[in-house]
Amino acid sequence: MNNNEHNTAILRMHCPDQAGIITVITGFINENGGNIVYLDQYVDRNNGIFYMRIEWELDNFIIPKEKISDYFNTLYAQRYNMSFHISFTERVQRMAIFVSKMSHCIYDLLARYTAGEWDVEIPLIISNHPDLSVIGQQFNIPFEVIPITKENKAEQEAKEFELLERYNIDFIVLARYMQVLSEDFIARYPNRIINIHHSFLPAFIGAKPYHQAYERGVKLIGATSHYVTAELDAGPIIEQDIARISHKDSPAELVHKGRDLEKIVLSRAVEKHIQRKILTYKNKTIIFN
Amino acid sequence: MNNNEHNTAILRMHCPDQAGIITVITGFINENGGNIVYLDQYVDRNNGIFYMRIEWELDNFIIPKEKISDYFNTLYAQRYNMSFHISFTERVQRMAIFVSKMSHCIYDLLARYTAGEWDVEIPLIISNHPDLSVIGQQFNIPFEVIPITKENKAEQEAKEFELLERYNIDFIVLARYMQVLSEDFIARYPNRIINIHHSFLPAFIGAKPYHQAYERGVKLIGATSHYVTAELDAGPIIEQDIARISHKDSPAELVHKGRDLEKIVLSRAVEKHIQRKILTYKNKTIIFN
Amino acid sequence: MNNNEHNTAILRMHCPDQAGIITVITGFINENGGNIVYLDQYVDRNNGIFYMRIEWELDNFIIPKEKISDYFNTLYAQRYNMSFHISFTERVQRMAIFVSKMSHCIYDLLARYTAGEWDVEIPLIISNHPDLSVIGQQFNIPFEVIPITKENKAEQEAKEFELLERYNIDFIVLARYMQVLSEDFIARYPNRIINIHHSFLPAFIGAKPYHQAYERGVKLIGATSHYVTAELDAGPIIEQDIARISHKDSPAELVHKGRDLEKIVLSRAVEKHIQRKILTYKNKTIIFN
Amino acid sequence: MNNNEHNTAILRMHCPDQAGIITVITGFINENGGNIVYLDQYVDRNNGIFYMRIEWELDNFIIPKEKISDYFNTLYAQRYNMSFHISFTERVQRMAIFVSKMSHCIYDLLARYTAGEWDVEIPLIISNHPDLSVIGQQFNIPFEVIPITKENKAEQEAKEFELLERYNIDFIVLARYMQVLSEDFIARYPNRIINIHHSFLPAFIGAKPYHQAYERGVKLIGATSHYVTAELDAGPIIEQDIARISHKDSPAELVHKGRDLEKIVLSRAVEKHIQRKILTYKNKTIIFN
């Protein structure tokens, strides 16, 4: 799970499907001394697109790390019309948590972090309310309170952005952060803000989804983690799950039963992001296994 | 499961919640020689409503069957402002299946019926296409083909209604019947037409839900069985379930994976209906266990 | 969820099934001014046993709290051959957590506790290792380290018992406590020690169940919470759940995937215990809903 | 789903893991004019074994079909110490169903077959009881009744074997066939007899697993499909699933609830076998996706 003992490169790419593409890429790695430790690929035959995630050990790889992207681009990406991204496990990603008043998701994230389950750093928590500041103290992580109103939103988001820069944050997890981010803010972190919505999207978009679910009389409730885009609750879905309910459950009980769902679904999505196993294409995610 | 060896009465009722209501009803049954074999009750505290399903053996019950409703109404229902319905297991319900071109749901229903799992009669299948008429022959059930176009809908539904009357049909199961029923037709069978919609309602209402699901990039697909009301896919939900999918699944594979979901969800709903374990209230179902 | 605003009595009972038993008990409560807020009952027809959990408000109940058990025993329990237990929500239960080196279950328990989800006190953590003592500090709960070896087991358990007495502990949660308790110890807390076993019991009893699961090549892993009895992993099961795995999962990945399962299954069981919704009978649990 | 419009070859193989093995195999196919339409591979790093399923179109493949195995063996398999099997989708597999008195599994199999969901032929049903012979008539499939007693087992199995030969049967599905096959019989169809056991193996091996489950008080029941080996219920597991139950379920209700589980789990396993997506290694299955 924890990859930080490995010194590997991870290539995520897609391109028009064509014969021999796996041979080309595995050949590139093998011939230059890389030992492939992971390969997962998938062909979307309806749309003719090839997707791959491949990971290899760098110890005996003869191309210097900082030049791999350049070489790969010149030798293959341009020729085969690939979009690609190369990352290195040596570089531990830095994650910020945004939170409001509910603690179940942030506790679940921090419990995993503290146990060393994830190869990530969490140097910053931002909240629009002071209620959970004790969690910052418990886990010894800076907890910045930045209250937001309609009037001060732009300047407060500027403060948030300044903090994110100062702490070198790579991606943001909205752990039941009850505040809509501005389009400008979202645009700075494309596919790098993970939200948890407490419904089975696209059902019950927007406010109070459990109450909507209660009104409709559904027999299952859901939770959805997705990357945040400018359109509310409409970004690429990373993970979803459901729980069985019955007519006996009041809205308050749906809220109660939904908490476990939310925290597990969010943490699964964050784990996939940390492991660099997500590739986003046209508002959908490819989740490598 | 099969109750036809029992000679029991089933009371389903709801009323404003009030102290002592269980005592009153169980007292009525006990004092008149009825042996209670089932009791499930539920109080909706938010809205102050009491719901109950109670079943008792009639062998030594001193009130004649045909007078039970009248007595109960006079002695209790009016006093406590109850809505109630009494049915008798001796009376086997008669079910019609409506089908189009897909066979997975109807085979699942008939396999259970043939195995004697359900205390029901299925004397009639109606289809708007001849494709599955062999199933009528296989199971020796009249299979009536009634093609429907925009122009002939009213007269063809009249034919259907005539058949339903002739066969003394109590309730209708739409086993992937790809034709919207008219409001008039629906009004004749309130809470007695069970449909299966191939999505997790209220997501993906209407046509081609699997294609909608594919477009949205969800990670789970669903199926929903519900009573049919005048508004499309908006009736009281009886049962829902989901299956996990991935980015690898094409729309065709979603259709394939959805079949098991559809047939199981529909059959579960039909079973609950046959067992008279559903009570409908304000576009929601109470499902007794 | 949190019942401590209510002042209610909870009766859990079972007796030989007989006509009129619900009428008798609901009558007892109604006639003495109790307002019933919960009733769930179940008849095991194979064995002829009636089970019930009933809860009523004490505000206008004319029998004094301390005499309810005595009255109920004299007036009904002896006559109807009932086993029963009456508890009061006013009395908040006190729970101790036993832990070893793995933190996922204890964090999940304490996150719920801290969020006020549960009507319980957690005044004591006991561990056989010092590794997680920081958690005691984080949540400001006494964390007692009591290392156990084969040689010192009796005397160390005596220390534990002394602590449990001092803190007035009602029940114990073994949150992946990797140490078998002595029969004497268990006998002091009948149906009051909740364990989480990391398999789908009765499969893979004993040590290293994930490795056993890997060896057998199962396609699902499970977790089971149960009351501890003298026989290892054989006590009454409270809750179970599973997660899907594949041939790709190494034993280490099973351990990783199992963590979420373990913590959720344990917390669900603890919640049911706190809500006094469990009744144990002959090595099985009745879980009221 | 239905592959018979394609003319493809499928290679399933495993070998000691080594650098470049994917490049070698995809190179072999590409260089000889094959168009790869499927590739799924997996490396068991604990044991150092590489597994792959690869499928390619034969239309422009320059090696004649009947020589592919020979060429592949000579050029690669021996060199890389591979175990491999090549099959052709043009060749439709022939499946026999063995059944006793319960119809839910066989109806589920035949409903899929009749709907054209599977690229398979089912020319033969064998039963040790005449009860379900009507199913043979319904689906127009020879239904051979071969009653088995302890005394006549060897000669009756000889008759079965003769029938299986006569109908060119490739693999056998035991659709709740309540008769243990002899070791000799099993040895003739290695990894080609699929059974459904009505428990979550390895829990509740042998007779009456639902009754065993009831006695133990589990909260979930399961079903397991596996290849039959000489040791009872101990063969390689293909698929498992579970359903939630409660203390309210009698053994008869477990049997009832288990039926859906059994039929779906068995059909999923049969589908994977038909699609040639299973590779068996040391009493475990690799299930390609």
Side-chain angles (χ1 to χ4, degrees):
Chain A
M1 261 49 62
N2 190 316
N3 286 311
N4 64 3
E5 71 266 33
H6 296 302
N7 178 21
T8 63
I10 294 165
L11 166 70
R12 281 170 286 179
M13 57 76 66
H14 63 85
C15 66
D17 188 29
Q18 51 209 297
I21 196 79
I22 293 179
T23 310
V24 163
I25 296 176
T26 57
F28 162 72
I29 296 167
N30 288 323
E31 286 155 22
N32 292 300
N35 182 32
I36 295 171
V37 293
Y38 175 100
L39 184 156
D40 190 23
Q41 53 80 47
Y42 149 68
V43 181
D44 175 352
R45 298 198 189 284
N46 289 333
N47 298 301
I49 303 171
F50 173 87
Y51 301 88
M52 188 159 70
R53 181 188 187 278
I54 191 163
E55 182 173 355
W56 67 97
E57 291 173 346
L58 292 171
D59 296 345
N60 301 307
F61 200 59
I62 61 171
I63 306 174
K65 233 165 96 168
E66 61 282 6
K67 294 191 180 164
I68 296 175
S69 270
D70 183 42
Y71 279 41
F72 187 78
N73 189 39
T74 306
L75 297 171
Y76 304 101
Q78 293 178 4
R79 192 176 347 160
Y80 294 98
N81 199 15
M82 295 176 189
S83 296
F84 76 100
H85 180 76
I86 293 175
S87 48
F88 301 98
T89 46
E90 204 186 54
R91 158 99 175 76
V92 176
Q93 296 166 89
R94 295 169 70 80
M95 154 179 158
I97 301 175
F98 280 40
V99 79
S100 291
K101 294 180 174 180
M102 276 168 292
S103 61
H104 54 292
C105 287
I106 189 170
Y107 266 128
D108 199 67
L109 295 165
L110 293 177
R112 293 167 202 263
Y113 174 55
T114 301
E117 284 188 45
W118 286 345
D119 190 23
V120 76
E121 290 299 327
I122 305 181
L124 176 65
I125 302 168
I126 286 178
S127 179
N128 54 344
H129 296 284
D131 306 44
L132 300 182
S133 58
V134 65
I135 295 178
Q137 294 157 31
Q138 285 177 318
F139 290 86
N140 201 22
I141 298 172
F143 187 102
E144 301 284 343
V145 179
I146 304 187
I148 300 212
T149 63
K150 224 181 291 180
E151 290 68 34
N152 71 8
K153 187 159 189 161
E155 65 186 283
Q156 295 295 74
E157 284 196 344
K159 274 189 209 165
E160 289 174 350
F161 185 64
E162 189 275 326
L163 281 165
L164 295 167
E165 291 279 281
R166 193 196 314 159
Y167 283 96
N168 284 311
I169 297 301
D170 292 296
F171 70 101
I172 297 164
V173 175
L174 308 182
R176 297 299 312 276
Y177 179 66
M178 305 304 278
Q179 180 71 38
V180 176
L181 303 172
S182 73
E183 285 196 32
D184 277 0
F185 191 98
I186 293 165
R188 290 174 189 265
Y189 293 91
N191 293 328
R192 294 196 285 138
I193 306 173
I194 301 172
N195 186 39
I196 179 72
H197 184 72
H198 39 311
S199 85
F200 184 92
L201 287 176
F204 310 130
I205 285 170
K208 289 192 166 277
Y210 291 128
H211 290 77
Q212 294 182 54
Y214 176 80
E215 288 307 318
R216 181 61 187 92
V218 293
K219 299 301 184 187
L220 306 169
I221 53 170
T224 304
S225 61
H226 62 94
Y227 286 122
V228 175
T229 57
E231 190 182 342
L232 185 67
D233 298 333
I237 292 171
I238 304 169
E239 172 68 350
Q240 301 187 288
D241 213 339
I242 58 94
R244 192 158 284 274
I245 59 164
S246 85
H247 61 269
K248 296 191 183 174
D249 292 303
S250 66
E253 282 154 340
L254 298 191
V255 169
H256 178 69
K257 289 192 174 179
R259 276 190 208 117
D260 280 355
L261 214 48
E262 295 162 22
K263 76 187 188 192
I264 297 294
V265 167
L266 179 59
S267 286
R268 281 189 202 146
V270 170
E271 180 164 306
K272 286 291 183 185
H273 186 94
I274 291 171
Q275 294 173 339
R276 298 163 166 108
K277 289 202 168 165
I278 309 177
L279 191 160
T280 305
Y281 180 71
K282 282 192 180 175
N283 211 44
K284 289 191 196 180
T285 59
I286 314 298
I287 311 284
F288 295 104
N289 57 42
Chain B
M1 265 47 64
N2 190 314
N3 287 311
N4 64 4
E5 71 266 30
H6 297 303
N7 178 21
T8 62
I10 294 165
L11 167 70
R12 281 170 286 179
M13 57 75 66
H14 62 85
C15 66
D17 189 29
Q18 51 209 293
I21 196 78
I22 294 178
T23 310
V24 163
I25 296 177
T26 58
F28 163 72
I29 296 167
N30 288 325
E31 286 155 22
N32 292 300
N35 181 32
I36 296 171
V37 293
Y38 175 98
L39 183 156
D40 191 22
Q41 53 80 47
Y42 149 67
V43 181
D44 174 352
R45 298 197 189 284
N46 289 333
N47 298 301
I49 303 171
F50 174 86
Y51 301 88
M52 187 160 71
R53 181 189 187 278
I54 190 162
E55 183 173 355
W56 68 98
E57 291 173 344
L58 291 172
D59 296 344
N60 302 307
F61 200 58
I62 62 171
I63 306 174
K65 230 164 99 167
E66 61 281 6
K67 294 192 180 163
I68 296 175
S69 270
D70 184 42
Y71 278 41
F72 187 77
N73 189 41
T74 306
L75 297 173
Y76 305 102
Q78 293 178 3
R79 195 182 337 167
Y80 294 99
N81 200 14
M82 296 177 188
S83 296
F84 77 100
H85 179 76
I86 294 175
S87 48
F88 300 98
T89 47
E90 204 184 54
R91 159 100 174 76
V92 176
Q93 297 166 91
R94 295 169 70 80
M95 152 180 160
I97 301 176
F98 279 40
V99 77
S100 290
K101 295 180 172 178
M102 276 168 292
S103 61
H104 54 291
C105 287
I106 189 170
Y107 267 128
D108 199 67
L109 294 165
L110 293 177
R112 292 168 202 264
Y113 174 55
T114 301
E117 282 188 46
W118 286 344
D119 190 23
V120 78
E121 290 299 327
I122 305 181
L124 176 65
I125 302 168
I126 286 177
S127 181
N128 54 344
H129 295 285
D131 307 45
L132 300 182
S133 58
V134 66
I135 295 178
Q137 294 156 33
Q138 286 178 320
F139 291 87
N140 202 22
I141 298 171
F143 187 102
E144 302 284 343
V145 179
I146 304 188
I148 300 210
T149 63
K150 224 181 290 179
E151 290 70 33
N152 71 8
K153 186 159 191 164
E155 64 186 285
Q156 294 296 74
E157 284 197 343
K159 273 189 211 167
E160 289 174 351
F161 186 63
E162 190 275 325
L163 281 164
L164 295 167
E165 290 279 280
R166 193 197 314 158
Y167 284 95
N168 283 311
I169 297 302
D170 293 297
F171 70 102
I172 297 165
V173 175
L174 307 182
R176 297 300 311 274
Y177 180 66
M178 305 304 278
Q179 180 71 38
V180 175
L181 303 171
S182 74
E183 285 196 31
D184 277 0
F185 191 98
I186 293 165
R188 289 175 190 265
Y189 293 91
N191 293 327
R192 294 194 286 138
I193 307 173
I194 300 172
N195 186 40
I196 179 72
H197 183 73
H198 39 312
S199 85
F200 183 93
L201 288 176
F204 310 131
I205 285 170
K208 289 192 164 280
Y210 291 128
H211 290 78
Q212 294 182 53
Y214 177 79
E215 286 308 318
R216 180 61 187 91
V218 292
K219 299 301 184 188
L220 306 169
I221 54 170
T224 304
S225 61
H226 62 94
Y227 286 122
V228 174
T229 56
E231 190 183 343
L232 185 67
D233 299 333
I237 292 170
I238 304 169
E239 172 68 351
Q240 302 188 288
D241 213 340
I242 58 94
R244 191 159 285 274
I245 59 164
S246 85
H247 60 270
K248 297 190 183 176
D249 291 303
S250 66
E253 282 155 339
L254 299 191
V255 169
H256 178 69
K257 290 192 174 177
R259 278 191 208 114
D260 280 355
L261 214 47
E262 294 163 22
K263 75 187 188 194
I264 297 294
V265 168
L266 179 59
S267 286
R268 279 187 204 147
V270 171
E271 180 164 306
K272 286 291 184 185
H273 186 92
I274 291 171
Q275 295 172 340
R276 299 163 166 108
K277 289 202 169 163
I278 309 177
L279 192 160
T280 306
Y281 180 71
K282 283 193 179 174
N283 212 43
K284 291 190 195 179
T285 60
I286 314 299
I287 311 283
F288 296 104
N289 57 42
Chain C
M1 259 49 62
N2 190 314
N3 286 312
N4 63 4
E5 71 264 35
H6 297 304
N7 178 21
T8 63
I10 295 166
L11 167 68
R12 281 170 286 178
M13 55 76 66
H14 63 85
C15 66
D17 189 29
Q18 51 208 297
I21 196 79
I22 294 178
T23 310
V24 163
I25 296 176
T26 59
F28 163 72
I29 296 167
N30 288 323
E31 286 155 22
N32 293 300
N35 181 32
I36 296 171
V37 293
Y38 176 100
L39 184 156
D40 191 22
Q41 53 80 47
Y42 149 68
V43 181
D44 174 352
R45 296 196 192 284
N46 290 333
N47 298 303
I49 302 170
F50 174 86
Y51 301 88
M52 187 159 72
R53 182 189 187 277
I54 191 162
E55 182 172 355
W56 67 98
E57 291 173 344
L58 291 173
D59 295 345
N60 301 306
F61 200 58
I62 61 170
I63 305 173
K65 232 164 94 169
E66 62 281 7
K67 295 193 180 162
I68 297 175
S69 270
D70 184 42
Y71 278 41
F72 188 77
N73 189 40
T74 305
L75 296 172
Y76 304 102
Q78 293 178 3
R79 194 181 339 164
Y80 294 99
N81 200 13
M82 295 176 188
S83 295
F84 76 100
H85 180 77
I86 294 175
S87 49
F88 301 99
T89 46
E90 206 186 51
R91 158 99 174 77
V92 177
Q93 296 165 91
R94 296 169 69 80
M95 153 180 159
I97 301 175
F98 279 40
V99 77
S100 290
K101 295 180 174 180
M102 277 168 292
S103 61
H104 54 292
C105 287
I106 189 171
Y107 267 128
D108 199 67
L109 294 165
L110 293 177
R112 292 168 203 263
Y113 174 57
T114 301
E117 283 188 45
W118 287 344
D119 190 23
V120 77
E121 291 298 329
I122 305 181
L124 176 65
I125 302 168
I126 287 178
S127 180
N128 54 344
H129 294 284
D131 306 44
L132 300 181
S133 59
V134 66
I135 295 177
Q137 294 157 32
Q138 285 177 318
F139 291 87
N140 201 21
I141 298 171
F143 187 102
E144 301 285 344
V145 180
I146 304 188
I148 300 211
T149 62
K150 223 180 291 178
E151 290 69 34
N152 71 8
K153 188 159 189 161
E155 66 187 283
Q156 295 296 75
E157 283 197 344
K159 273 189 209 164
E160 288 173 350
F161 185 64
E162 190 275 326
L163 281 164
L164 296 167
E165 290 279 281
R166 193 196 315 160
Y167 284 96
N168 283 311
I169 297 302
D170 292 296
F171 70 102
I172 297 164
V173 175
L174 307 182
R176 297 299 313 275
Y177 180 66
M178 305 304 278
Q179 180 70 39
V180 176
L181 303 172
S182 73
E183 285 196 32
D184 277 359
F185 191 99
I186 294 165
R188 289 175 190 264
Y189 293 91
N191 293 327
R192 294 196 285 138
I193 306 174
I194 300 172
N195 186 39
I196 179 74
H197 183 74
H198 39 312
S199 85
F200 184 92
L201 287 177
F204 310 131
I205 286 171
K208 289 192 166 278
Y210 291 128
H211 289 77
Q212 293 182 53
Y214 176 79
E215 287 307 318
R216 181 61 187 91
V218 292
K219 299 300 184 188
L220 307 169
I221 53 169
T224 304
S225 61
H226 63 94
Y227 287 121
V228 175
T229 56
E231 190 182 344
L232 185 67
D233 298 334
I237 292 171
I238 305 170
E239 171 69 351
Q240 301 188 288
D241 213 340
I242 58 93
R244 192 159 283 274
I245 59 164
S246 85
H247 60 270
K248 296 190 183 175
D249 292 304
S250 65
E253 282 154 339
L254 299 191
V255 168
H256 178 69
K257 290 191 174 180
R259 278 189 209 116
D260 280 356
L261 213 49
E262 294 162 22
K263 77 187 189 193
I264 297 294
V265 167
L266 179 60
S267 286
R268 281 189 203 146
V270 170
E271 180 164 306
K272 286 291 184 185
H273 186 94
I274 291 171
Q275 295 173 340
R276 300 161 166 110
K277 289 202 169 165
I278 309 176
L279 191 160
T280 305
Y281 180 70
K282 282 191 180 176
N283 211 44
K284 290 191 195 179
T285 59
I286 314 298
I287 311 284
F288 295 104
N289 57 43
Chain D
M1 264 49 65
N2 189 314
N3 287 311
N4 65 2
E5 71 265 31
H6 296 303
N7 178 21
T8 62
I10 294 165
L11 166 70
R12 281 170 286 179
M13 57 74 67
H14 63 86
C15 66
D17 188 29
Q18 51 209 295
I21 196 81
I22 295 179
T23 310
V24 163
I25 296 176
T26 58
F28 163 72
I29 296 167
N30 288 324
E31 286 154 22
N32 292 300
N35 181 32
I36 295 170
V37 293
Y38 175 100
L39 183 156
D40 191 21
Q41 52 79 48
Y42 149 68
V43 181
D44 174 352
R45 295 195 192 286
N46 290 333
N47 299 301
I49 303 171
F50 174 86
Y51 300 89
M52 186 158 71
R53 182 189 186 278
I54 191 162
E55 182 172 356
W56 67 98
E57 292 173 343
L58 291 171
D59 296 344
N60 301 307
F61 200 58
I62 62 170
I63 306 174
K65 230 163 97 167
E66 62 281 8
K67 294 192 181 165
I68 297 176
S69 269
D70 183 42
Y71 278 42
F72 187 78
N73 188 40
T74 306
L75 296 172
Y76 304 102
Q78 292 178 4
R79 195 183 336 166
Y80 294 99
N81 199 14
M82 296 177 189
S83 295
F84 76 100
H85 179 76
I86 294 176
S87 48
F88 301 98
T89 48
E90 205 186 51
R91 159 97 174 78
V92 177
Q93 297 166 91
R94 296 169 69 80
M95 154 179 160
I97 301 176
F98 280 39
V99 78
S100 292
K101 295 180 172 178
M102 276 169 291
S103 61
H104 55 290
C105 287
I106 189 171
Y107 266 128
D108 199 67
L109 294 165
L110 293 177
R112 293 168 201 264
Y113 174 56
T114 301
E117 282 187 47
W118 287 345
D119 190 23
V120 76
E121 291 298 328
I122 305 182
L124 176 65
I125 302 168
I126 287 177
S127 180
N128 53 345
H129 296 285
D131 306 45
L132 299 182
S133 59
V134 66
I135 295 178
Q137 295 157 32
Q138 286 178 318
F139 290 87
N140 203 22
I141 298 171
F143 187 102
E144 303 283 345
V145 179
I146 304 187
I148 299 210
T149 62
K150 224 181 289 179
E151 290 70 33
N152 70 9
K153 187 159 189 162
E155 65 187 285
Q156 294 297 74
E157 284 197 343
K159 275 189 209 166
E160 289 173 349
F161 185 63
E162 191 276 326
L163 282 164
L164 295 167
E165 291 278 280
R166 193 197 314 159
Y167 283 95
N168 284 311
I169 298 302
D170 293 297
F171 69 102
I172 297 165
V173 175
L174 307 182
R176 297 299 313 274
Y177 179 66
M178 305 304 279
Q179 180 71 39
V180 175
L181 303 172
S182 73
E183 284 196 32
D184 277 0
F185 191 99
I186 294 165
R188 288 174 190 265
Y189 293 91
N191 292 328
R192 293 195 285 139
I193 306 173
I194 300 172
N195 186 39
I196 179 72
H197 183 74
H198 40 311
S199 85
F200 183 92
L201 287 176
F204 309 131
I205 286 171
K208 290 193 164 277
Y210 291 128
H211 289 76
Q212 294 182 52
Y214 176 79
E215 287 307 318
R216 181 60 187 94
V218 291
K219 300 301 184 188
L220 306 169
I221 53 170
T224 303
S225 61
H226 62 94
Y227 287 121
V228 176
T229 56
E231 191 183 342
L232 185 67
D233 298 333
I237 292 172
I238 305 169
E239 172 69 351
Q240 301 187 289
D241 212 341
I242 57 94
R244 191 159 285 274
I245 59 163
S246 85
H247 60 270
K248 297 190 182 176
D249 292 303
S250 65
E253 282 155 338
L254 299 191
V255 169
H256 179 69
K257 290 192 174 178
R259 279 191 205 114
D260 280 355
L261 214 48
E262 294 163 23
K263 76 187 190 193
I264 297 294
V265 167
L266 178 59
S267 286
R268 281 188 203 145
V270 170
E271 181 164 305
K272 285 292 183 184
H273 186 93
I274 291 171
Q275 294 173 340
R276 298 162 168 108
K277 289 201 169 165
I278 309 176
L279 191 159
T280 305
Y281 180 71
K282 282 191 179 175
N283 212 44
K284 290 191 197 180
T285 59
I286 313 300
I287 311 283
F288 296 103
N289 57 42

